[in-house]
Amino acid sequence: MDNRIRELRNERGLTQQQLAELVNVSSRTIISLEKGQYNPSVLLAYKMAFIFECAIEQVFVFGEEDTP
């Protein structure tokens, strides 16, 4: 799954650690998310969209390979 986490995080001047603290996960989770190595829970995706003040679909890009 592709995402815009790094781009949105940088636009807001947040470090990976700061974002991790805002959404209550480890900085390692943020790193894995940014690299596309980890798919977030619905709750985590919602929290990130809330922090970035946008829709979940604007943070995470779902492609054909992400659908059943």
Side-chain angles (χ1 to χ4, degrees):
M1 171 185 331
D2 292 328
N3 66 70
R4 297 179 54 226
I5 297 170
R6 180 174 292 146
E7 174 188 348
L8 294 167
R9 179 177 58 75
N10 287 332
E11 284 176 7
R12 282 155 184 77
L14 295 170
T15 65
Q16 290 171 330
Q17 182 62 43
Q18 289 169 325
L19 178 58
E21 290 171 5
L22 287 171
V23 296
N24 200 30
V25 298
S26 70
S27 58
R28 190 82 211 131
T29 298
I30 300 300
I31 292 166
S32 294
L33 282 166
E34 288 184 354
K35 291 181 177 181
Q37 298 172 337
Y38 175 74
N39 289 330
S41 67
V42 173
L43 181 58
L44 179 53
Y46 176 80
K47 286 179 180 180
M48 294 193 127
F50 181 80
I51 296 295
F52 295 137
E53 299 176 336
C54 60
I56 291 173
E57 295 84 358
Q58 292 175 304
V59 180
F60 299 95
V61 181
F62 299 96
E64 285 183 31
E65 68 278 358
D66 299 314
T67 58

